[in-house]
Amino acid sequence: MALIIRQRKIVARPEDERLVPLAQWNGEPGVLLGTADDPAALKGRLDRLSVIAIEFPQFTDGRGYTIARLLRERYGYKGELRAVGEVLRDNLFYLSRCGFDSFLVSDQSRLDDALEGLGDFSDGYQASADRPQPLFRRRAA
Amino acid sequence: MYLYDEIDQRMVDERVRQFRGQTQRFLAGELSEDQFRPLRLQNGLYIQRYAPMLRVAIPYGLLSTRQLRKLAAIARKYDRGYGHFSTRQNIQFNWPKLEEVPDILAELAEVQMHAIQTSGNCIRNTTTDHFAGVARDEIVDSLVWCELIRQWSTFHPEFAFLPRKFKIAVNGAVADRAATYLHDIGLHALRDGDGNVGFRVIVGGGMGRTPVIGTVIREFLPWRHLLTYLDAILRVYNRYGRRDNKYKARIKILVKALGAEVFASKVEAEWSHLEDGPATLIEEEVARIESRFTRPDYAALPADDAWSRGKLVADKAFAAWARRNVHEHKVDGYAAVSVSLKKTGAAPGDASAEQMDAIADLADRYSFGELRVSHEQNLILADVRQSHLYELWQSLRALGLASPNIGLITNIIACPGGDFCSLANAKSLPVADAIQQKFDDLDFQHDIGELDLNISGCINSCGHHHVGHIGVLGVDKHGEEWYQVTIGGNQGLTRPGAPAALGRVIGPSFAREEVPAVVEKLIEVYLEHRDSEAERFVDTVWRIGIEPFKERVYGTHHQTAEDRRAA
């Protein structure tokens, strides 16, 4: 049974969960996006979804970060957003800033360690999905 | 000098802790080589030919004497007593031990320094004019804008894994001293008719395997929109840049493939969503950053210092140095001084720990405790009283740091090349040395006049050979080191009518020992053809074309050692 980190807790991945690749997706509650997919395809249909997974074929393929921000910040997706594929502890902080709140971490044997990765930094300069106001606006406030 | 506040400091401290953990996990076998590589690269750590190489960021080339002394201490304690200043205004240490790098980063953090994003496929150190803030031809002081970009790019969560590395350069003066047309993004800080600051935005320039002069996609972007517009460009690149072939992954390839107009329209479409959003800059922030810069407390001085002028007449050696290494300052009575790291016999850009300490002492005494690194790999004391120039020169001369060669043929830009770098096809340092030896005669150098000679040990172009008036590129042929020569390149609009240009290859490549004689022949042709002493080598190349140069170098039969060898 695979474990995921969701909302900063280690939980079992729901057994009946089905993630349908975007090309075959037809309104099911779970969809899987590849890094070349355009999230605009889900525009206006996001309220049917309870989980969107974005696949990282390699952790060095950074397109998924942009897709996540677009889903959160442009299209207003509020549900679970999961990183799957090659997902490493050292990427969790950036991923969470881009709007991911759920992670299927590749190394299932060190999930406690991975959880710590979410706290590598206490702040960030930029506007981001998890904190829309950049640091300079919060400083000025 | 920008001074960190507690949040800036905390981020750098947290980075040290993070990298210490990553290094420990790697050494314990918990992280694979493939997993660790991008992490160490984003902290400037390469595994080189003989040892790791650590590249430390010097944001936009600005350095305090406290920081320079720390770099000297690191060179002594963790390296072999020297460092190499690079063409991106950074410093590289060639001999650190991997397990000690977290300690080095911790020491750097003590003086508000780091190695964040000095390598890897992310936004690299932002570079600028080494005379920013002091240039007589300044339009806008670019330092504040560079710091804003530094903060925006530091740990940008969306752009840590781009298709390829990404370099931004900012210039705020009439002359372009930051090679802005040869960066992924070049920015010209400008003022509109009402004095409001904005930016000309250039994209898709670069050197490397496919050199390209960048294209302007915005003539005037009001300053408030700077960061959102950068976000839009990066986002288009992150989504659509090629990831299947690292040689075609830079933004310049995307801009070429789409066409600059289509690329620009994609950026504008993306930006329409970000425009006036929360990342839009505010006056308070610009003022806050400005207020955290320490600025020199200049004295009110006459524009012209009669005593120094007298010395110029009395001392020929001082005059030669002043002519090449002293630069106009925007404040009357002051000058900027280039400390040449291009003495014949020394590797271009290298400085020993002793030299760093000595230069720090001089910067404390004569230049408000600050200095700059130029992309031409020299150090700059930016705020020297003209009346101190003579004694400063004497001190520099005693240290071997007063070669009067800024802008001349021996001010060679060179990468570390095959002596250190595992990417290199050929050595660059012995070539630089041989050329410097050949042209060591100062009167001859001054007679030749301004000439940028740049050497790269491989096509990655760290030595900026494409934009050398004379460029030398190390190439590999059947496992042997050969050198290709280009002429007519130019780093940017450093004077009116001379825009950025890429050099043209003059013909088949040469054996290493042939290169100085080839350069000599190129110079001969120039000296025969120049219409006056005001016409520089590169101007002559542009005026008469490369044929006369080819003819002289290769002779009628265009035969080279390579041909002879093949025959």
Side-chain angles (χ1 to χ4, degrees), chain A residues 38-39 60 62-63 65-66 69-70 74 89-91 94 120-122 125-126 132 134 136-137 139, chain B residues 5 8 10 14 18 22 25 151-152 154-155 158 161 235 238-239 243 270 273 278 280 285 288:
Chain A
D38 187 351
T60 50
R63 286 176 287 184
Y65 293 85
T66 291
R69 284 194 73 179
L70 291 172
R74 186 156 309 161
R89 172 223 151 112
D90 298 286
N91 307 123
Y94 285 157
D120 276 350
F121 295 92
S122 51
Y125 288 109
Q126 308 77 8
F136 66 78
R137 282 186 189 262
R139 270 170 160 149
Chain B
D5 73 359
D8 301 320
R10 196 166 67 226
E14 287 171 345
Q18 182 195 41
Q22 289 166 347
R25 282 186 283 133
Q151 298 193 10
W152 162 83
T154 298
F155 309 140
E158 188 179 343
F161 298 99
R235 186 170 277 179
N238 193 38
R239 289 187 79 182
R243 290 173 186 268
E270 181 59 41
H273 296 283
T280 304
E285 175 64 358
R288 191 189 70 86

Side-chain angles (χ1 to χ4, degrees), chain B residues 213-253:
Chain B
I213 303 286
T215 308
V216 176
I217 59 167
R218 264 268 178 168
E219 274 298 341
F220 190 85
L221 177 76
W223 63 268
R224 288 175 190 279
H225 303 307
L226 177 62
L227 301 184
T228 52
Y229 205 80
L230 293 177
D231 272 326
I233 295 171
L234 266 296
R235 186 170 277 179
V236 170
Y237 172 54
N238 193 38
R239 289 187 79 182
Y240 304 113
R242 282 181 66 171
R243 290 173 186 268
D244 59 327
N245 179 343
K246 76 172 192 172
Y247 300 119
K248 297 188 186 302
R250 294 288 289 269
I251 194 174
K252 62 193 171 190
I253 305 291

